[in-house]
Amino acid sequence: MLHTKLHLPLALLASWSFASQAAPVAKQLAGPPEEFALMKVADPALSSINSKSAVIPVQFKQDKQGSWRWETNLPIDSQDFKFLVFSRDSKNWDIQMRDPLTNLMQTPKASQFQSINDLKTESKSVQYGMESNKLPATRYDFENMQQGNWTLSITTKDVENLDGYLLIGGDDDYRLNSYKSGGKQVVNNTIHYVTEGVIDNERRLIGRDNTNSGKGMLRRNSNLIDTAYLQVTNPDGEQIKYKMYDDGLHGDKFANDGFWGGDFVAENSGNYNVQVIAQGFNPEGGPFLRTTEHLLPIIEQTVGLGDKTPAIISIDGNRLNIDLGVRNTSDSSDNHYRIIGEVWGLAKNSRTKVPVSWISTIGSFKDGGLNIELDSRWIAKAGAQAPFEIHNLRVEDSTHYIPLIEMDSVSLATNALSTNSLNQLSAQTKSFTGQVTDEMLMGKNPGGDFSVQATGSGLLLVHGYCSSDVWGPVAGQFSGEIIFRDLGANRSHDDFARRVRDFGDANLNSYGIVAHSQGGAAALHLYTYYWSGLDNSSGNRLIQSVGTPYQGTPLAGNLAALGDVFGVGCGTNSNLTTSGSASWLAGIPTWARSRVYYSSTSFEDVWWRYDYCSLATDLFLSDPEDGVVEKSRAQLSSANNMGHKTDWCHTSGMRDTAQTKDSSRNSNMNSNANR
């Protein structure tokens, strides 16, 4: 294929309308029974947040002298202690600390406080966040600190800047592990969270310089927790505290097993911020305070089960059209949903049920119904026959991948089919050669009907969430490139993918993608669910990405919590959380993942200095990390891992160079890219 170098002027990029393209044509996905487990709802424990820090809100009250004052317990469990102060203007805050021994006195006095400036080793203004969505903070570092419960006091007369947060860094050996353990994320359902204290035995056995902190052998049921509770902020900003219990009755496992559970009813739709707060003591007698922050979207029930039985209603060639019998309960007909289910039939000459294939698509209501297709060759491959059933059927919203309908098993009627159709189906199954084709995996390619109107081939460079123009400065390192620019924006994976498709198909007939950060997930989503110029391309690597949080980043939930005070400039994004990414991945098949080539990076780690990508997020993320994405969460199973490099960080403005500026990797991606 001849590749021409194509530069699209920035003015044209800026004026191009995402709405100018027709709606994308969805693929009709399928795969073998061996992938059933991959396509099921993800185990929530596998997307848990493992925290070595605590986030505490600063809440001032006015004293008799007219000043605004806030005091809190400040647990220090490490001699080398660090914390961040978030405020709109902390320069007007007078921060003081009182040591543990003085706190034990019966009547400790205000005069016994010491200025933080006399105690700190270093302080520095930093930016905390991901991509361009960052919050100002001041980082304080201390050395040789006495371990125990200090008191922190902050006073101010600046009534314009009263709110803020502390982020307290703790001993990496002792962590809090938390996740949502149950509850349908639909209005008026009870939501359960569980948490446990864990000890990183591997770090404690081989020393505190282990760069794999938090990813080694964790000792469970370590009795680090004495009390725990949920701090829930609802979509209206109201905060309610719920106690957590280790009694086996609150979404936790068994009584007194070290797992603490708590629950609450989500009464309204919107984004909830759920903070798990746990306190206790570590085995050395030091204080233990850790928190985890979770972004929890709650949605309305927009679909329901109708009166009709799911049925195969027509056959067109090898394609069986299935009406799921689902009704639209919302006011909108524009919503689209992800559908996933397993098809089962009966073995020939037997009453034994056999698995046929899983099927999936993203679809919207048409003629009052929600439909999906099945390729009859999967039936032939399985040696199955009617009657058929759909097992583990779920219908999810396509923004957060929250199940709205879940059914263990439902019969699939065939009484709507004519005798000729049934004979046609029988003939098709007998003629199957046994080879799995792309059409069986993705549905029938609509050819020119999926709105690729442009000509030529090229390479599409895609940025990430809330991004600056990360590829613009290095565009000359690629050939035949055009740059997708939706800068500073916050998009769900589905919306992002549709916009990439609209832009790419308007300018090129065929293309591969090189992506940064969330752009990698959006590209994989596009290839999985929609026909586009990606499907016209040829070459060695269809999708290449660097720094993509395929398994999410805990920063997404943490930033949402901090946004209660400061606002999150680009908005919250549930697809980037650890739980949200797991929900999305529980629908991405092996054949799509196999077309992804991904890389990860982290800071350069040398023995003689303190190493980091971001001074701010280093207190929160587990090493190795690039300042936004932890190496462990950059992995994508069944994809092609192109390696991990140090001395490169996620974006510009961090200590090491931005990962998109690695000319060696860029040259390699350019040479191998599909076009």
Side-chain angles (χ1 to χ4, degrees):
M1 182 178 292
L2 179 63
H3 304 304
T4 21
K5 190 169 183 67
L6 173 61
H7 290 282
L8 203 57
L10 181 59
L12 178 57
L13 290 173
S15 62
W16 183 80
S17 170
F18 288 113
S20 62
Q21 292 287 91
V25 178
K27 293 179 178 179
Q28 295 290 334
L29 315 181
E34 290 78 12
E35 292 183 348
F36 279 2
L38 183 70
M39 306 299 285
K40 288 183 178 178
V41 174
D43 179 353
L46 298 179
S47 60
S48 63
I49 295 177
N50 195 256
S51 172
K52 60 181 180 179
S53 61
V55 174
I56 302 174
V58 176
Q59 298 171 325
F60 287 99
K61 292 184 179 180
Q62 194 169 23
D63 61 21
K64 295 180 180 179
Q65 288 73 40
S67 295
W68 293 86
R69 185 179 184 87
W70 177 71
E71 282 191 12
T72 190
N73 173 52
L74 183 65
I76 295 181
D77 59 4
S78 175
Q79 287 187 335
D80 297 329
F81 179 70
K82 306 171 181 65
F83 69 83
L84 299 177
V85 175
F86 295 90
S87 75
R88 292 186 179 90
D89 186 7
S90 62
K91 295 178 181 178
N92 293 319
W93 286 10
D94 179 19
I95 306 175
Q96 298 184 327
M97 298 168 62
R98 189 167 58 204
D99 64 69
L101 290 179
T102 305
N103 281 338
L104 293 175
M105 299 172 61
Q106 291 184 350
T107 56
K109 301 177 181 178
S111 60
Q112 294 164 329
F113 279 99
Q114 295 176 268
S115 170
I116 195 173
N117 294 319
D118 296 331
L119 294 168
K120 68 177 176 64
T121 304
E122 183 181 10
S123 62
K124 190 172 184 178
S125 296
V126 294
Q127 294 289 315
Y128 182 90
M130 51 194 295
E131 305 287 352
S132 298
N133 188 13
K134 296 181 180 178
L135 303 175
T138 303
R139 172 171 163 146
Y140 293 93
D141 289 27
F142 305 84
E143 294 180 357
N144 301 316
M145 292 293 283
Q146 181 180 344
Q147 298 181 50
N149 286 307
W150 289 64
T151 298
L152 181 76
S153 172
I154 304 178
T155 56
T156 184
K157 293 185 177 180
D158 182 5
V159 296
E160 298 295 326
N161 297 292
L162 290 179
D163 295 323
Y165 275 95
L166 296 183
L167 191 153
I168 302 171
D171 187 329
D172 287 6
D173 294 352
Y174 307 113
R175 293 169 177 255
L176 187 69
N177 195 64
S178 309
Y179 58 91
K180 186 183 83 69
S181 61
K184 190 176 180 180
Q185 288 174 236
V186 175
V187 173
N188 292 326
N189 277 267
T190 300
I191 306 296
H192 304 274
Y193 276 86
V194 297
T195 193
E196 60 169 333
V198 294
I199 299 177
D200 191 335
N201 276 343
E202 183 175 325
R203 268 179 48 86
R204 297 190 64 74
L205 288 172
I206 68 175
R208 292 173 179 262
D209 60 347
N210 177 26
T211 58
N212 291 311
S213 169
K215 304 303 175 189
M217 181 172 54
L218 299 177
R219 191 174 84 203
R220 308 285 184 181
N221 307 329
S222 51
N223 297 320
L224 293 173
I225 302 174
D226 288 340
T227 60
Y229 58 91
L230 301 174
Q231 181 80 33
V232 179
T233 305
N234 67 26
D236 294 330
E238 179 187 17
Q239 288 190 342
I240 305 175
K241 186 180 293 186
Y242 301 88
K243 190 175 181 181
M244 301 183 78
Y245 303 86
D246 184 5
D247 59 2
L249 301 175
H250 290 79
D252 54 323
K253 297 187 177 180
F254 305 100
N256 304 313
D257 64 350
F259 285 87
W260 294 67
D263 50 53
F264 65 96
V265 176
E267 296 179 345
N268 301 291
S269 62
N271 286 326
Y272 287 71
N273 289 320
V274 180
Q275 185 179 47
V276 179
I277 304 172
Q279 293 176 280
F281 295 91
N282 64 40
E284 299 170 357
F288 176 81
L289 172 64
R290 300 289 187 272
T291 68
T292 57
E293 289 73 40
H294 308 260
L295 174 62
L296 178 74
I298 300 294
I299 63 176
E300 299 282 353
Q301 185 75 40
T302 56
V303 296
L305 293 174
D307 298 329
K308 297 187 298 182
T309 301
I312 301 173
I313 58 174
S314 64
I315 297 177
D316 181 10
N318 289 309
R319 312 305 300 177
L320 279 62
N321 183 12
I322 301 172
D323 183 347
L324 293 173
V326 173
R327 60 188 175 86
N328 187 1
T329 62
S330 73
D331 296 331
S332 173
S333 60
D334 296 331
N335 296 337
H336 46 282
Y337 303 90
R338 183 167 76 170
I339 307 162
I340 300 174
E342 304 166 4
V343 178
W344 290 67
L346 288 185
K348 292 180 179 179
N349 304 317
S350 169
R351 304 306 296 174
T352 303
K353 293 181 180 180
V354 293
V356 174
S357 76
W358 61 263
I359 52 177
S360 179
T361 191
I362 288 183
S364 55
F365 280 89
K366 184 177 181 181
D367 299 326
L370 200 58
N371 290 36
I372 192 169
E373 293 182 6
L374 168 66
D375 193 301
S376 63
R377 287 169 287 188
W378 288 109
I379 298 174
K381 187 174 188 300
Q385 63 183 0
F388 299 107
E389 297 176 344
I390 299 182
H391 293 186
N392 296 311
L393 172 67
R394 67 184 194 270
V395 178
E396 306 170 331
D397 81 301
S398 62
T399 298
H400 308 290
Y401 310 101
I402 296 170
L404 294 166
I405 294 176
E406 293 181 277
M407 298 186 67
D408 293 335
S409 179
V410 58
S411 296
L412 189 57
T414 57
N415 54 358
L417 296 176
S418 66
T419 301
N420 288 338
S421 294
L422 291 173
N423 291 336
Q424 178 187 353
L425 175 60
S426 177
Q428 289 167 355
T429 57
K430 289 178 181 179
S431 64
F432 177 58
T433 63
Q435 181 181 0
V436 175
T437 65
D438 285 346
E439 185 173 309
M440 291 171 64
L441 297 173
M442 293 184 276
K444 188 175 181 180
N445 189 324
D449 295 336
F450 60 88
S451 300
V452 181
Q453 301 169 357
T455 59
S457 60
L459 179 60
L460 188 55
L461 305 180
V462 180
H463 57 69
Y465 160 85
C466 194
S467 182
S468 59
D469 187 12
V470 295
W471 293 116
V474 295
Q477 297 175 13
F478 299 90
S479 58
E481 83 287 351
I482 63 172
I483 303 176
F484 171 83
R485 288 185 173 96
D486 187 25
L487 306 181
N490 172 27
R491 313 292 183 192
S492 69
H493 286 351
D494 189 65
D495 185 15
F496 202 151
R498 287 168 171 250
R499 289 168 181 266
V500 170
R501 170 261 179 193
D502 287 353
F503 174 77
D505 288 9
N507 293 283
L508 295 169
N509 178 267
S510 69
Y511 50 86
I513 288 179
V514 166
H516 178 244
S517 197
Q518 189 195 0
L524 174 55
H525 186 94
L526 172 59
Y527 175 63
T528 302
Y529 291 110
Y530 302 111
W531 294 103
S532 73
L534 282 171
D535 297 286
N536 293 338
S537 68
S538 61
N540 295 329
R541 301 177 190 169
L542 182 68
I543 297 169
Q544 300 177 85
S545 67
V546 58
T548 296
Y550 289 107
Q551 299 182 50
T553 170
L555 273 180
N558 179 260
L559 273 174
L562 295 173
D564 286 344
V565 170
F566 300 99
V568 180
C570 291
T572 57
N573 191 313
S574 67
N575 295 169
L576 295 176
T577 66
T578 59
S579 58
S581 62
S583 297
W584 167 70
L585 278 174
I588 305 297
T590 299
W591 55 259
R593 298 175 186 226
S594 69
R595 303 301 304 275
V596 174
Y597 294 76
Y598 68 93
S599 303
S600 58
T601 70
S602 63
F603 53 80
E604 183 182 21
D605 192 12
V606 295
W607 65 269
W608 46 266
R609 71 180 183 196
Y610 169 63
D611 293 304
Y612 57 88
C613 268
S614 165
L615 267 174
T617 61
D618 186 65
L619 296 187
F620 184 75
L621 298 173
S622 294
D623 295 339
E625 40 86 5
D626 65 9
V628 171
V629 181
E630 297 162 333
K631 177 185 177 183
S632 62
R633 299 189 190 275
Q635 308 306 304
L636 179 65
S637 64
S638 301
N640 305 279
N641 187 344
M642 302 307 292
H644 181 84
K645 295 179 71 172
T646 61
D647 200 20
W648 299 93
C649 293
H650 196 77
T651 55
S652 298
M654 295 184 174
R655 197 199 66 179
D656 297 333
T657 308
Q659 54 197 200
T660 53
K661 296 182 179 180
D662 184 344
S663 58
S664 174
R665 178 170 45 241
N666 290 348
S667 175
N668 180 272
M669 290 193 294
N670 180 60
S671 298
N672 287 281
N674 272 38
R675 286 178 172 81

